[in-house]
Amino acid sequence: RTIASRATTSFSSTLTRSPAALFLTPRRLLSPEKLSLVSDRYVAFRAFSGGPMPLRAFPQYTIFGTTTALSVRSILPQFKRAGSDGVSVERRGKLVLEFVPRAQTGAGFLWKEKTPFSLSVEEIGLCISQLPGNSVELSHAYYGAESDDEGSRSGVTQTSGDSIEKVLTIQQAEGSSVKFTVDYMKNGVGGEDPSGIVFSRTPLEVMVQAGEFEVLKSIFQTSIPYLIGWNTTMDIASANAISRGVERSSGGYY
């Protein structure tokens, strides 16, 4: 096989793994035959249970404790156009830990009363490096119920002396288990309701067993490249590098 044919195969493989690269590939670089081939492979990639590939997915892992459930989900990064045909990361993604109290009747969990705590990629890295041997404590300023998902904080002010912090504590417990705790704290006192009127359900605690913690740690490790947009942008950059190389070696067409 020639260098051009090997590069063509590699380029098609990259497009199959990363459909986003297809949209950023200049069509002038593709002959009609190759454009048809790539389109067919893209359609095949999107085949899902006999139908089109869903456009959305909701990765989530949940641990059901005695009094509280602990769920982890992802918020992917936001992308923006860079130049006429490029893409870059506008805002990094994050993982969100959600603590969900069990109903007082013992039947089911109160998902509408969950307490979220978001983790930046650096905080995720800290957890990976320190746990389970060392404990980790993270605190975020609380900006109001409208931003309780750690999202928008516009128009929210906070007085220094009245600040309430949302505190996540992760520490090794008996045996190989790890305890996750979230609490609202004011001046070092926990159990503080964000409204300042009554005490909330916090602190919420979940005892994570060894096998469950290994699953969480694996999620933490594998999520980082996606949360910073590394996998996506590397696939697109690689596809572009291959297309330029093949164009030079084959006179402009694959």
Side-chain angles (χ1 to χ4, degrees):
R1 294 168 62 188
T2 63
I3 295 176
S5 65
R6 289 197 300 270
T8 300
T9 301
S10 178
F11 177 62
S12 298
S13 176
T14 300
L15 290 176
T16 301
R17 294 195 315 270
S18 179
L22 175 65
F23 298 105
L24 295 178
T25 303
R27 292 300 189 267
R28 62 182 176 79
L29 299 181
L30 299 175
S31 66
E33 294 79 8
K34 181 54 64 177
L35 180 59
S36 176
L37 174 61
V38 172
S39 298
D40 290 343
R41 291 193 177 188
Y42 181 57
V43 171
F45 174 85
R46 291 179 60 84
F48 182 80
S49 300
M53 177 73 76
L55 298 179
R56 303 179 66 190
F58 305 93
Q60 182 171 318
Y61 175 64
T62 304
I63 298 170
F64 296 97
T66 304
T67 60
T68 307
L70 174 64
S71 182
V72 57
R73 62 180 178 87
S74 64
I75 296 179
L76 293 179
Q78 297 178 8
F79 295 89
K80 64 179 180 179
R81 277 286 181 181
S84 60
D85 60 353
V87 65
S88 63
V89 176
E90 182 175 34
R91 185 176 181 179
R92 292 178 178 179
K94 54 192 174 184
L95 290 181
V96 180
L97 299 179
E98 296 178 333
F99 293 77
V100 188
R102 183 181 290 275
Q104 293 182 351
T105 60
F109 292 86
L110 305 176
W111 292 94
K112 292 184 178 181
E113 298 185 17
K114 62 187 178 184
T115 299
F117 193 98
S118 69
L119 297 174
S120 67
V121 290
E122 291 81 11
E123 290 172 332
I124 295 170
L126 177 65
C127 290
I128 294 172
S129 68
Q130 297 299 310
L131 298 172
N134 301 310
S135 62
V136 171
E137 182 176 295
L138 302 171
S139 62
H140 294 171
Y142 179 72
Y143 290 89
E146 67 274 16
S147 63
D148 202 36
D149 62 347
E150 312 278 336
S152 173
R153 298 174 177 175
S154 59
V156 179
T157 59
Q158 187 178 60
T159 304
S160 176
D162 297 328
S163 63
I164 294 178
E165 292 186 324
K166 190 188 301 183
V167 180
L168 172 69
T169 304
I170 310 174
Q171 56 190 348
Q172 192 166 17
E174 294 183 4
S176 300
S177 59
V178 179
K179 184 169 69 173
F180 284 67
T181 306
V182 67
D183 196 3
Y184 289 103
M185 303 188 71
K186 180 178 179 180
N187 298 325
V189 179
E192 183 72 23
D193 185 83
S195 67
I197 301 175
V198 296
F199 283 92
S200 66
R201 292 178 177 271
T202 57
L204 296 173
E205 298 180 352
V206 181
M207 198 67 69
V208 177
Q209 302 304 315
E212 297 167 332
F213 179 75
E214 286 302 315
V215 174
L216 284 177
K217 193 169 183 178
S218 177
I219 291 174
F220 285 2
Q221 292 172 328
T222 56
S223 293
I224 290 178
Y226 291 99
L227 298 178
I228 63 176
W230 187 264
N231 287 357
T232 303
T233 53
M234 281 291 286
D235 281 349
I236 295 173
S238 298
N240 183 53
I242 294 172
S243 68
R244 288 188 283 108
V246 173
E247 180 184 21
R248 287 195 301 267
S249 62
S250 59
Y253 288 96
Y254 297 123

